[in-house]
Amino acid sequence: MNEETIIRTAVVTGGSRGIGRAVCVQLARQGCHVVVNYCHGEAAAAETVSLCRAQGAQAVAVQADVSTAEGCKKLFEEAVNAFGRVDILVNNAGITRDNLILRMSEADFDAVLDANLKGAFLCCKEAARRMVRQRRGRIINLSSVVALRGNAGQTNYAASKAGLIGLTKSLARELASRNVTVNAVAPGFIETDMTAALPEAVRTEMAKDIPAGRAGQPEDVANAVAFFAAEQSSYLTGQVLCVDGGMAM
Ligand code: NAP
């Protein structure tokens, strides 16, 4: 197939809700086939698929737990079965298990590192193999401003998100000569289920810390992801872009 006529395929982990859903819809709008990964939310993933199709794109939902190697293998196999290739990987799936360190269990530390950091590593491995062969690809990892600033009560989460920055820069160096870019987006305080779960007092306190004076929307983050995913962004790699209304500057 001619390079120009290839319809790019995007795999978005945790695409069923929140930021992941907005990323799926934005990439669909830009003409990509979209693979919407989810872990538990089958109905939500089906809704994201419908939203992508409403943009005129092809989309499928794939259930897979990205914190396991089997899950990641299955995700990429089903993506390739559906669309024949993977050109864009967005490592968006993430969880929190907040607590002060003296009360944080080892299990909660491991669960967050497994879903947020090991999951991204495993998906990068699956993607890199295929993208290097294709001599083209875009990998975008969802980090967080807490990776740069820290956050009391989130030692596990902040460590996983800081780990993603190291992973992003190292992999960017490994893959740059193969026309595969690897970048990170670090959102600040975005209105999704994840932040809705925070106590009102914490939400109010966080909002005071945002120069823009408001929380962000999933679409604000999706725009930054789409920017890195664009064909025109081929000379941008190893970068961390904060989408945070000025919070981390
Ligand atoms: P969210 O609303 O809680 O959604 C999380 C998504 O991740 C869901 O689609 C969920 O799928 C999926 N997921 C969780 N564990 C998974 C696993 N093991 N395998 C596959 N999918 C899994 O989160 P969000 O706020 O949109 O956040 C998206 C990303 O941005 C996360 O990495 C988060 O850390 C990061 N981020 C968010 C904020 C914010 O303010 N919201 C700020 C900074 C960074 P199911 O529902 O199917 O389980």
Side-chain angles (χ1 to χ4, degrees), residues 13-21 37-42 44-45 64-68 91-96 115-116 142-146 157 161 164 185-195 218 221:
T13 71
S16 50
R17 337 180 240 125
I19 293 169
R21 172 179 283 175
N37 162 249
Y38 68 99
C39 191
H40 303 104
E42 189 178 354
D65 178 351
V66 297
S67 66
T68 69
N91 280 309
N92 164 83
I95 59 168
T96 52
N116 299 7
L142 266 291
S143 180
S144 166
V145 293
V146 307
Y157 182 79
K161 295 297 178 181
L164 276 174
V185 172
F189 182 53
I190 311 297
E191 282 180 350
T192 66
D193 294 345
M194 185 176 274
T195 45
V221 182

mmCIF file of all heavy atoms in Angstrom, residues 13-21 37-42 44-45 64-68 91-96 115-116 142-146 157 161 164 185-195 218 221, ligand 1:
data_model
loop_
_atom_site.group_PDB
_atom_site.id
_atom_site.type_symbol
_atom_site.label_atom_id
_atom_site.label_comp_id
_atom_site.label_asym_id
_atom_site.label_seq_id
_atom_site.Cartn_x
_atom_site.Cartn_y
_atom_site.Cartn_z
ATOM 1 N N THR A 13 -4.937 2.608 25.490
ATOM 2 C CA THR A 13 -5.239 1.811 26.686
ATOM 3 C C THR A 13 -6.129 2.641 27.607
ATOM 4 O O THR A 13 -5.990 3.861 27.707
ATOM 5 C CB THR A 13 -3.967 1.335 27.415
ATOM 6 O OG1 THR A 13 -3.325 2.460 28.045
ATOM 7 C CG2 THR A 13 -2.994 0.653 26.474
ATOM 8 N N GLY A 14 -7.072 1.960 28.263
ATOM 9 C CA GLY A 14 -8.021 2.686 29.114
ATOM 10 C C GLY A 14 -8.807 3.699 28.317
ATOM 11 O O GLY A 14 -9.023 4.828 28.770
ATOM 12 N N GLY A 15 -9.286 3.283 27.150
ATOM 13 C CA GLY A 15 -10.007 4.213 26.274
ATOM 14 C C GLY A 15 -11.497 4.299 26.569
ATOM 15 O O GLY A 15 -12.226 5.026 25.900
ATOM 16 N N SER A 16 -11.943 3.580 27.582
ATOM 17 C CA SER A 16 -13.390 3.498 27.818
ATOM 18 C C SER A 16 -13.989 4.760 28.416
ATOM 19 O O SER A 16 -15.162 5.063 28.201
ATOM 20 C CB SER A 16 -13.710 2.289 28.714
ATOM 21 O OG SER A 16 -12.893 2.277 29.861
ATOM 22 N N ARG A 17 -13.184 5.498 29.219
ATOM 23 C CA ARG A 17 -13.756 6.686 29.888
ATOM 24 C C ARG A 17 -12.712 7.795 29.978
ATOM 25 O O ARG A 17 -11.553 7.596 29.635
ATOM 26 C CB ARG A 17 -14.154 6.401 31.345
ATOM 27 C CG ARG A 17 -14.422 5.046 31.721
ATOM 28 C CD ARG A 17 -14.812 4.911 33.186
ATOM 29 N NE ARG A 17 -13.871 4.058 33.887
ATOM 30 C CZ ARG A 17 -13.216 4.403 34.980
ATOM 31 N NH1 ARG A 17 -13.371 5.597 35.499
ATOM 32 N NH2 ARG A 17 -12.400 3.537 35.555
ATOM 33 N N GLY A 18 -13.167 8.934 30.505
ATOM 34 C CA GLY A 18 -12.265 10.026 30.865
ATOM 35 C C GLY A 18 -11.363 10.488 29.740
ATOM 36 O O GLY A 18 -11.789 10.674 28.594
ATOM 37 N N ILE A 19 -10.093 10.678 30.078
ATOM 38 C CA ILE A 19 -9.120 11.192 29.107
ATOM 39 C C ILE A 19 -8.972 10.223 27.938
ATOM 40 O O ILE A 19 -8.902 10.634 26.775
ATOM 41 C CB ILE A 19 -7.759 11.441 29.813
ATOM 42 C CG1 ILE A 19 -7.901 12.604 30.817
ATOM 43 C CG2 ILE A 19 -6.667 11.730 28.795
ATOM 44 C CD1 ILE A 19 -6.707 12.771 31.749
ATOM 45 N N GLY A 20 -8.937 8.926 28.243
ATOM 46 C CA GLY A 20 -8.776 7.910 27.195
ATOM 47 C C GLY A 20 -9.873 7.994 26.157
ATOM 48 O O GLY A 20 -9.627 7.896 24.947
ATOM 49 N N ARG A 21 -11.110 8.186 26.622
ATOM 50 C CA ARG A 21 -12.231 8.316 25.672
ATOM 51 C C ARG A 21 -12.037 9.553 24.788
ATOM 52 O O ARG A 21 -12.225 9.486 23.570
ATOM 53 C CB ARG A 21 -13.558 8.416 26.416
ATOM 54 C CG ARG A 21 -14.698 8.746 25.482
ATOM 55 C CD ARG A 21 -16.021 8.839 26.168
ATOM 56 N NE ARG A 21 -16.566 7.522 26.471
ATOM 57 C CZ ARG A 21 -17.680 7.311 27.167
ATOM 58 N NH1 ARG A 21 -18.347 8.331 27.653
ATOM 59 N NH2 ARG A 21 -18.125 6.086 27.372
ATOM 60 N N ASN A 37 -9.173 0.092 24.287
ATOM 61 C CA ASN A 37 -8.935 -0.918 25.331
ATOM 62 C C ASN A 37 -9.672 -0.531 26.607
ATOM 63 O O ASN A 37 -9.815 0.640 26.929
ATOM 64 C CB ASN A 37 -7.430 -1.023 25.596
ATOM 65 C CG ASN A 37 -7.119 -1.688 26.928
ATOM 66 O OD1 ASN A 37 -6.631 -1.038 27.846
ATOM 67 N ND2 ASN A 37 -7.423 -2.956 27.059
ATOM 68 N N TYR A 38 -10.133 -1.577 27.324
ATOM 69 C CA TYR A 38 -10.724 -1.365 28.641
ATOM 70 C C TYR A 38 -10.409 -2.568 29.504
ATOM 71 O O TYR A 38 -10.003 -3.618 28.990
ATOM 72 C CB TYR A 38 -12.251 -1.155 28.545
ATOM 73 C CG TYR A 38 -13.004 -2.394 28.108
ATOM 74 C CD1 TYR A 38 -13.649 -3.213 29.035
ATOM 75 C CD2 TYR A 38 -13.039 -2.773 26.765
ATOM 76 C CE1 TYR A 38 -14.319 -4.360 28.636
ATOM 77 C CE2 TYR A 38 -13.711 -3.914 26.366
ATOM 78 C CZ TYR A 38 -14.356 -4.708 27.297
ATOM 79 O OH TYR A 38 -15.001 -5.847 26.907
ATOM 80 N N CYS A 39 -10.606 -2.420 30.811
ATOM 81 C CA CYS A 39 -10.368 -3.555 31.702
ATOM 82 C C CYS A 39 -11.700 -4.098 32.213
ATOM 83 O O CYS A 39 -12.010 -5.266 32.026
ATOM 84 C CB CYS A 39 -9.469 -3.122 32.860
ATOM 85 S SG CYS A 39 -8.873 -4.509 33.830
ATOM 86 N N HIS A 40 -12.530 -3.224 32.846
ATOM 87 C CA HIS A 40 -13.795 -3.681 33.440
ATOM 88 C C HIS A 40 -15.031 -3.106 32.743
ATOM 89 O O HIS A 40 -16.084 -3.714 32.778
ATOM 90 C CB HIS A 40 -13.854 -3.285 34.924
ATOM 91 C CG HIS A 40 -12.706 -3.815 35.720
ATOM 92 N ND1 HIS A 40 -11.651 -3.018 36.131
ATOM 93 C CD2 HIS A 40 -12.429 -5.062 36.162
ATOM 94 C CE1 HIS A 40 -10.783 -3.772 36.794
ATOM 95 N NE2 HIS A 40 -11.230 -5.007 36.822
ATOM 96 N N GLY A 41 -14.912 -1.930 32.151
ATOM 97 C CA GLY A 41 -16.098 -1.197 31.697
ATOM 98 C C GLY A 41 -16.507 -1.504 30.273
ATOM 99 O O GLY A 41 -16.336 -0.672 29.363
ATOM 100 N N GLU A 42 -17.140 -2.658 30.064
ATOM 101 C CA GLU A 42 -17.526 -3.065 28.710
ATOM 102 C C GLU A 42 -18.515 -2.072 28.075
ATOM 103 O O GLU A 42 -18.346 -1.673 26.917
ATOM 104 C CB GLU A 42 -18.152 -4.466 28.771
ATOM 105 C CG GLU A 42 -18.377 -5.061 27.404
ATOM 106 C CD GLU A 42 -18.955 -6.468 27.467
ATOM 107 O OE1 GLU A 42 -19.073 -7.037 28.572
ATOM 108 O OE2 GLU A 42 -19.297 -6.985 26.392
ATOM 109 N N ALA A 44 -19.056 1.092 28.829
ATOM 110 C CA ALA A 44 -18.413 2.389 28.569
ATOM 111 C C ALA A 44 -17.541 2.301 27.322
ATOM 112 O O ALA A 44 -17.508 3.233 26.499
ATOM 113 C CB ALA A 44 -17.578 2.817 29.780
ATOM 114 N N ALA A 45 -16.840 1.183 27.160
ATOM 115 C CA ALA A 45 -15.983 1.010 25.970
ATOM 116 C C ALA A 45 -16.837 0.981 24.705
ATOM 117 O O ALA A 45 -16.472 1.580 23.684
ATOM 118 C CB ALA A 45 -15.160 -0.265 26.100
ATOM 119 N N ALA A 64 -8.734 -6.077 27.939
ATOM 120 C CA ALA A 64 -7.420 -6.607 28.306
ATOM 121 C C ALA A 64 -6.908 -5.849 29.529
ATOM 122 O O ALA A 64 -7.020 -4.632 29.586
ATOM 123 C CB ALA A 64 -6.429 -6.438 27.151
ATOM 124 N N ASP A 65 -6.372 -6.601 30.472
ATOM 125 C CA ASP A 65 -5.735 -5.990 31.644
ATOM 126 C C ASP A 65 -4.279 -5.723 31.275
ATOM 127 O O ASP A 65 -3.483 -6.652 31.145
ATOM 128 C CB ASP A 65 -5.841 -6.956 32.829
ATOM 129 C CG ASP A 65 -5.162 -6.417 34.084
ATOM 130 O OD1 ASP A 65 -4.475 -5.381 34.004
ATOM 131 O OD2 ASP A 65 -5.320 -7.058 35.143
ATOM 132 N N VAL A 66 -3.936 -4.447 31.110
ATOM 133 C CA VAL A 66 -2.587 -4.136 30.617
ATOM 134 C C VAL A 66 -1.498 -4.317 31.680
ATOM 135 O O VAL A 66 -0.311 -4.218 31.365
ATOM 136 C CB VAL A 66 -2.481 -2.705 30.022
ATOM 137 C CG1 VAL A 66 -3.374 -2.549 28.803
ATOM 138 C CG2 VAL A 66 -2.766 -1.632 31.062
ATOM 139 N N SER A 67 -1.906 -4.606 32.904
ATOM 140 C CA SER A 67 -0.868 -4.831 33.919
ATOM 141 C C SER A 67 -0.268 -6.234 33.805
ATOM 142 O O SER A 67 0.639 -6.584 34.560
ATOM 143 C CB SER A 67 -1.422 -4.590 35.325
ATOM 144 O OG SER A 67 -2.408 -5.546 35.634
ATOM 145 N N THR A 68 -0.773 -7.027 32.858
ATOM 146 C CA THR A 68 -0.215 -8.369 32.651
ATOM 147 C C THR A 68 0.331 -8.500 31.227
ATOM 148 O O THR A 68 -0.224 -7.911 30.285
ATOM 149 C CB THR A 68 -1.282 -9.472 32.850
ATOM 150 O OG1 THR A 68 -2.237 -9.390 31.769
ATOM 151 C CG2 THR A 68 -2.017 -9.310 34.182
ATOM 152 N N ASN A 91 -0.482 5.145 25.928
ATOM 153 C CA ASN A 91 -0.520 4.464 27.229
ATOM 154 C C ASN A 91 -1.224 5.386 28.225
ATOM 155 O O ASN A 91 -0.604 6.230 28.864
ATOM 156 C CB ASN A 91 0.901 4.149 27.706
ATOM 157 C CG ASN A 91 1.460 2.926 27.033
ATOM 158 O OD1 ASN A 91 0.823 1.876 27.000
ATOM 159 N ND2 ASN A 91 2.651 3.057 26.464
ATOM 160 N N ASN A 92 -2.541 5.189 28.307
ATOM 161 C CA ASN A 92 -3.382 6.072 29.123
ATOM 162 C C ASN A 92 -3.936 5.375 30.358
ATOM 163 O O ASN A 92 -4.259 6.043 31.346
ATOM 164 C CB ASN A 92 -4.530 6.601 28.237
ATOM 165 C CG ASN A 92 -5.646 7.194 29.044
ATOM 166 O OD1 ASN A 92 -5.589 8.357 29.440
ATOM 167 N ND2 ASN A 92 -6.685 6.411 29.312
ATOM 168 N N ALA A 93 -4.059 4.044 30.327
ATOM 169 C CA ALA A 93 -4.676 3.331 31.459
ATOM 170 C C ALA A 93 -3.938 3.679 32.754
ATOM 171 O O ALA A 93 -2.711 3.707 32.790
ATOM 172 C CB ALA A 93 -4.623 1.829 31.219
ATOM 173 N N GLY A 94 -4.712 3.969 33.789
ATOM 174 C CA GLY A 94 -4.061 4.313 35.057
ATOM 175 C C GLY A 94 -5.024 4.192 36.209
ATOM 176 O O GLY A 94 -6.247 4.302 36.043
ATOM 177 N N ILE A 95 -4.465 3.935 37.378
ATOM 178 C CA ILE A 95 -5.275 3.846 38.599
ATOM 179 C C ILE A 95 -4.573 4.602 39.730
ATOM 180 O O ILE A 95 -3.376 4.904 39.641
ATOM 181 C CB ILE A 95 -5.502 2.374 39.053
ATOM 182 C CG1 ILE A 95 -4.162 1.656 39.330
ATOM 183 C CG2 ILE A 95 -6.314 1.604 38.021
ATOM 184 C CD1 ILE A 95 -4.322 0.321 40.055
ATOM 185 N N THR A 96 -5.349 4.900 40.763
ATOM 186 C CA THR A 96 -4.768 5.458 41.991
ATOM 187 C C THR A 96 -5.145 4.548 43.168
ATOM 188 O O THR A 96 -6.195 3.883 43.132
ATOM 189 C CB THR A 96 -5.316 6.870 42.294
ATOM 190 O OG1 THR A 96 -6.746 6.813 42.270
ATOM 191 C CG2 THR A 96 -4.839 7.904 41.297
ATOM 192 N N ALA A 115 -0.145 -1.360 37.058
ATOM 193 C CA ALA A 115 -1.088 -0.824 36.047
ATOM 194 C C ALA A 115 -0.465 0.361 35.298
ATOM 195 O O ALA A 115 -0.539 0.430 34.069
ATOM 196 C CB ALA A 115 -2.382 -0.398 36.723
ATOM 197 N N ASN A 116 0.157 1.276 36.024
ATOM 198 C CA ASN A 116 0.577 2.545 35.408
ATOM 199 C C ASN A 116 1.930 2.457 34.703
ATOM 200 O O ASN A 116 2.112 3.061 33.643
ATOM 201 C CB ASN A 116 0.662 3.644 36.461
ATOM 202 C CG ASN A 116 -0.674 3.925 37.139
ATOM 203 O OD1 ASN A 116 -1.655 3.210 36.916
ATOM 204 N ND2 ASN A 116 -0.721 4.930 37.983
ATOM 205 N N LEU A 142 0.885 8.751 29.204
ATOM 206 C CA LEU A 142 0.201 9.693 30.094
ATOM 207 C C LEU A 142 0.896 9.692 31.449
ATOM 208 O O LEU A 142 0.744 8.758 32.243
ATOM 209 C CB LEU A 142 -1.275 9.300 30.247
ATOM 210 C CG LEU A 142 -2.271 9.972 29.291
ATOM 211 C CD1 LEU A 142 -2.430 11.459 29.599
ATOM 212 C CD2 LEU A 142 -1.865 9.817 27.834
ATOM 213 N N SER A 143 1.669 10.750 31.680
ATOM 214 C CA SER A 143 2.309 10.928 32.977
ATOM 215 C C SER A 143 1.394 11.814 33.818
ATOM 216 O O SER A 143 0.163 11.725 33.714
ATOM 217 C CB SER A 143 3.699 11.538 32.785
ATOM 218 O OG SER A 143 4.346 11.719 34.012
ATOM 219 N N SER A 144 1.967 12.694 34.630
ATOM 220 C CA SER A 144 1.160 13.598 35.467
ATOM 221 C C SER A 144 2.077 14.685 36.011
ATOM 222 O O SER A 144 3.288 14.464 36.180
ATOM 223 C CB SER A 144 0.567 12.816 36.642
ATOM 224 O OG SER A 144 0.073 13.716 37.618
ATOM 225 N N VAL A 145 1.503 15.834 36.356
ATOM 226 C CA VAL A 145 2.327 16.877 36.976
ATOM 227 C C VAL A 145 2.868 16.418 38.341
ATOM 228 O O VAL A 145 3.893 16.925 38.787
ATOM 229 C CB VAL A 145 1.569 18.216 37.146
ATOM 230 C CG1 VAL A 145 1.260 18.847 35.800
ATOM 231 C CG2 VAL A 145 0.311 18.055 37.975
ATOM 232 N N VAL A 146 2.216 15.441 38.962
ATOM 233 C CA VAL A 146 2.732 14.984 40.269
ATOM 234 C C VAL A 146 4.071 14.254 40.116
ATOM 235 O O VAL A 146 4.812 14.110 41.087
ATOM 236 C CB VAL A 146 1.719 14.119 41.067
ATOM 237 C CG1 VAL A 146 0.385 14.824 41.211
ATOM 238 C CG2 VAL A 146 1.552 12.733 40.494
ATOM 239 N N TYR A 157 1.600 6.489 43.160
ATOM 240 C CA TYR A 157 1.164 7.071 41.878
ATOM 241 C C TYR A 157 2.246 7.990 41.287
ATOM 242 O O TYR A 157 2.581 7.903 40.097
ATOM 243 C CB TYR A 157 -0.131 7.837 42.122
ATOM 244 C CG TYR A 157 -0.753 8.465 40.903
ATOM 245 C CD1 TYR A 157 -1.499 7.714 39.998
ATOM 246 C CD2 TYR A 157 -0.616 9.832 40.663
ATOM 247 C CE1 TYR A 157 -2.083 8.310 38.885
ATOM 248 C CE2 TYR A 157 -1.199 10.432 39.557
ATOM 249 C CZ TYR A 157 -1.930 9.668 38.672
ATOM 250 O OH TYR A 157 -2.508 10.260 37.571
ATOM 251 N N LYS A 161 4.310 7.636 37.760
ATOM 252 C CA LYS A 161 4.255 8.657 36.714
ATOM 253 C C LYS A 161 5.642 9.245 36.419
ATOM 254 O O LYS A 161 5.925 9.646 35.288
ATOM 255 C CB LYS A 161 3.272 9.764 37.115
ATOM 256 C CG LYS A 161 1.818 9.270 37.209
ATOM 257 C CD LYS A 161 1.321 8.800 35.869
ATOM 258 C CE LYS A 161 -0.084 8.250 35.893
ATOM 259 N NZ LYS A 161 -0.547 7.773 34.582
ATOM 260 N N LEU A 164 7.399 6.786 34.279
ATOM 261 C CA LEU A 164 6.984 6.894 32.870
ATOM 262 C C LEU A 164 7.810 7.931 32.117
ATOM 263 O O LEU A 164 8.034 7.800 30.908
ATOM 264 C CB LEU A 164 5.502 7.278 32.792
ATOM 265 C CG LEU A 164 4.489 6.145 32.909
ATOM 266 C CD1 LEU A 164 3.072 6.701 32.973
ATOM 267 C CD2 LEU A 164 4.626 5.184 31.728
ATOM 268 N N VAL A 185 2.687 13.176 27.942
ATOM 269 C CA VAL A 185 1.810 14.298 28.281
ATOM 270 C C VAL A 185 1.572 14.211 29.790
ATOM 271 O O VAL A 185 1.279 13.131 30.307
ATOM 272 C CB VAL A 185 0.485 14.211 27.495
ATOM 273 C CG1 VAL A 185 -0.507 15.257 27.990
ATOM 274 C CG2 VAL A 185 0.744 14.386 26.005
ATOM 275 N N ALA A 186 1.752 15.335 30.462
ATOM 276 C CA ALA A 186 1.582 15.356 31.919
ATOM 277 C C ALA A 186 0.398 16.260 32.278
ATOM 278 O O ALA A 186 0.550 17.479 32.379
ATOM 279 C CB ALA A 186 2.863 15.850 32.590
ATOM 280 N N PRO A 187 -0.781 15.669 32.460
ATOM 281 C CA PRO A 187 -1.936 16.497 32.810
ATOM 282 C C PRO A 187 -1.848 16.989 34.251
ATOM 283 O O PRO A 187 -1.186 16.376 35.107
ATOM 284 C CB PRO A 187 -3.130 15.534 32.668
ATOM 285 C CG PRO A 187 -2.613 14.339 31.935
ATOM 286 C CD PRO A 187 -1.158 14.255 32.258
ATOM 287 N N GLY A 188 -2.534 18.107 34.489
ATOM 288 C CA GLY A 188 -2.663 18.619 35.860
ATOM 289 C C GLY A 188 -3.928 18.058 36.473
ATOM 290 O O GLY A 188 -4.046 16.849 36.669
ATOM 291 N N PHE A 189 -4.885 18.938 36.761
ATOM 292 C CA PHE A 189 -6.124 18.522 37.409
ATOM 293 C C PHE A 189 -7.238 18.523 36.361
ATOM 294 O O PHE A 189 -7.712 19.576 35.934
ATOM 295 C CB PHE A 189 -6.432 19.501 38.544
ATOM 296 C CG PHE A 189 -7.668 19.175 39.330
ATOM 297 C CD1 PHE A 189 -7.846 17.916 39.874
ATOM 298 C CD2 PHE A 189 -8.646 20.132 39.533
ATOM 299 C CE1 PHE A 189 -8.980 17.615 40.605
ATOM 300 C CE2 PHE A 189 -9.781 19.838 40.271
ATOM 301 C CZ PHE A 189 -9.953 18.582 40.805
ATOM 302 N N ILE A 190 -7.623 17.328 35.918
ATOM 303 C CA ILE A 190 -8.594 17.177 34.832
ATOM 304 C C ILE A 190 -9.873 16.547 35.386
ATOM 305 O O ILE A 190 -9.800 15.590 36.178
ATOM 306 C CB ILE A 190 -8.020 16.267 33.708
ATOM 307 C CG1 ILE A 190 -6.589 16.698 33.305
ATOM 308 C CG2 ILE A 190 -8.956 16.240 32.504
ATOM 309 C CD1 ILE A 190 -6.444 18.079 32.720
ATOM 310 N N GLU A 191 -11.014 17.060 34.969
ATOM 311 C CA GLU A 191 -12.293 16.543 35.493
ATOM 312 C C GLU A 191 -12.652 15.202 34.856
ATOM 313 O O GLU A 191 -13.090 15.150 33.703
ATOM 314 C CB GLU A 191 -13.404 17.572 35.258
ATOM 315 C CG GLU A 191 -13.331 18.678 36.286
ATOM 316 C CD GLU A 191 -14.403 19.737 36.127
ATOM 317 O OE1 GLU A 191 -15.118 19.738 35.107
ATOM 318 O OE2 GLU A 191 -14.501 20.579 37.037
ATOM 319 N N THR A 192 -12.425 14.128 35.618
ATOM 320 C CA THR A 192 -12.796 12.766 35.191
ATOM 321 C C THR A 192 -13.245 12.006 36.437
ATOM 322 O O THR A 192 -13.212 12.546 37.549
ATOM 323 C CB THR A 192 -11.589 12.008 34.588
ATOM 324 O OG1 THR A 192 -10.623 11.791 35.634
ATOM 325 C CG2 THR A 192 -10.929 12.760 33.454
ATOM 326 N N ASP A 193 -13.586 10.726 36.259
ATOM 327 C CA ASP A 193 -13.967 9.883 37.411
ATOM 328 C C ASP A 193 -12.837 9.838 38.439
ATOM 329 O O ASP A 193 -13.071 9.773 39.642
ATOM 330 C CB ASP A 193 -14.242 8.438 36.962
ATOM 331 C CG ASP A 193 -15.465 8.352 36.062
ATOM 332 O OD1 ASP A 193 -16.242 9.323 36.020
ATOM 333 O OD2 ASP A 193 -15.627 7.304 35.398
ATOM 334 N N MET A 194 -11.574 9.857 37.933
ATOM 335 C CA MET A 194 -10.420 9.744 38.835
ATOM 336 C C MET A 194 -10.384 10.900 39.839
ATOM 337 O O MET A 194 -10.190 10.703 41.020
ATOM 338 C CB MET A 194 -9.124 9.710 38.015
ATOM 339 C CG MET A 194 -7.872 9.479 38.851
ATOM 340 S SD MET A 194 -6.390 9.345 37.825
ATOM 341 C CE MET A 194 -6.397 7.614 37.412
ATOM 342 N N THR A 195 -10.618 12.124 39.350
ATOM 343 C CA THR A 195 -10.557 13.279 40.249
ATOM 344 C C THR A 195 -11.888 13.487 40.977
ATOM 345 O O THR A 195 -11.919 14.063 42.061
ATOM 346 C CB THR A 195 -10.151 14.557 39.493
ATOM 347 O OG1 THR A 195 -10.902 14.633 38.280
ATOM 348 C CG2 THR A 195 -8.683 14.568 39.159
ATOM 349 N N PRO A 218 -11.030 16.587 29.703
ATOM 350 C CA PRO A 218 -10.334 15.516 28.972
ATOM 351 C C PRO A 218 -9.898 15.943 27.565
ATOM 352 O O PRO A 218 -8.830 15.566 27.097
ATOM 353 C CB PRO A 218 -11.386 14.398 28.917
ATOM 354 C CG PRO A 218 -12.213 14.613 30.144
ATOM 355 C CD PRO A 218 -12.282 16.100 30.345
ATOM 356 N N VAL A 221 -6.462 17.512 27.192
ATOM 357 C CA VAL A 221 -5.353 16.546 27.161
ATOM 358 C C VAL A 221 -5.316 15.830 25.810
ATOM 359 O O VAL A 221 -4.247 15.620 25.228
ATOM 360 C CB VAL A 221 -5.489 15.524 28.314
ATOM 361 C CG1 VAL A 221 -4.317 14.555 28.315
ATOM 362 C CG2 VAL A 221 -5.587 16.244 29.657
HETATM 363 P P1 NAP B 1 -10.218 7.315 34.783
HETATM 364 O O1 NAP B 1 -11.366 8.197 34.447
HETATM 365 O O2 NAP B 1 -10.140 6.724 36.154
HETATM 366 O O3 NAP B 1 -10.138 6.133 33.697
HETATM 367 C C1 NAP B 1 -9.127 5.171 33.801
HETATM 368 C C2 NAP B 1 -9.133 4.282 32.575
HETATM 369 O O4 NAP B 1 -8.068 3.324 32.717
HETATM 370 C C3 NAP B 1 -10.414 3.490 32.422
HETATM 371 O O5 NAP B 1 -10.747 3.426 31.044
HETATM 372 C C4 NAP B 1 -10.034 2.101 32.930
HETATM 373 O O6 NAP B 1 -10.772 1.064 32.320
HETATM 374 C C5 NAP B 1 -8.587 2.024 32.508
HETATM 375 N N1 NAP B 1 -7.785 1.041 33.240
HETATM 376 C C6 NAP B 1 -7.437 1.046 34.546
HETATM 377 N N2 NAP B 1 -6.697 -0.035 34.845
HETATM 378 C C7 NAP B 1 -6.566 -0.740 33.690
HETATM 379 C C8 NAP B 1 -5.913 -1.945 33.347
HETATM 380 N N3 NAP B 1 -5.224 -2.660 34.247
HETATM 381 N N4 NAP B 1 -5.988 -2.375 32.059
HETATM 382 C C9 NAP B 1 -6.673 -1.669 31.136
HETATM 383 N N5 NAP B 1 -7.326 -0.528 31.404
HETATM 384 C C10 NAP B 1 -7.268 -0.068 32.665
HETATM 385 O O7 NAP B 1 -8.820 8.080 34.568
HETATM 386 P P2 NAP B 1 -8.508 9.471 33.832
HETATM 387 O O8 NAP B 1 -8.664 10.552 34.821
HETATM 388 O O9 NAP B 1 -9.182 9.536 32.519
HETATM 389 O O10 NAP B 1 -6.924 9.303 33.613
HETATM 390 C C11 NAP B 1 -6.359 8.781 32.420
HETATM 391 C C12 NAP B 1 -4.836 8.815 32.551
HETATM 392 O O11 NAP B 1 -4.412 10.165 32.786
HETATM 393 C C13 NAP B 1 -4.325 7.994 33.746
HETATM 394 O O12 NAP B 1 -3.097 7.398 33.408
HETATM 395 C C14 NAP B 1 -4.127 9.043 34.816
HETATM 396 O O13 NAP B 1 -3.163 8.644 35.754
HETATM 397 C C15 NAP B 1 -3.650 10.218 33.986
HETATM 398 N N6 NAP B 1 -3.867 11.505 34.647
HETATM 399 C C16 NAP B 1 -5.115 11.928 34.995
HETATM 400 C C17 NAP B 1 -5.267 13.151 35.639
HETATM 401 C C18 NAP B 1 -6.614 13.700 36.017
HETATM 402 O O14 NAP B 1 -6.648 14.794 36.637
HETATM 403 N N7 NAP B 1 -7.704 13.042 35.712
HETATM 404 C C19 NAP B 1 -4.131 13.925 35.939
HETATM 405 C C20 NAP B 1 -2.878 13.451 35.588
HETATM 406 C C21 NAP B 1 -2.752 12.248 34.934
HETATM 407 P P3 NAP B 1 -12.025 0.289 33.063
HETATM 408 O O15 NAP B 1 -12.981 1.349 33.496
HETATM 409 O O16 NAP B 1 -12.525 -0.599 31.996
HETATM 410 O O17 NAP B 1 -11.416 -0.453 34.211
#
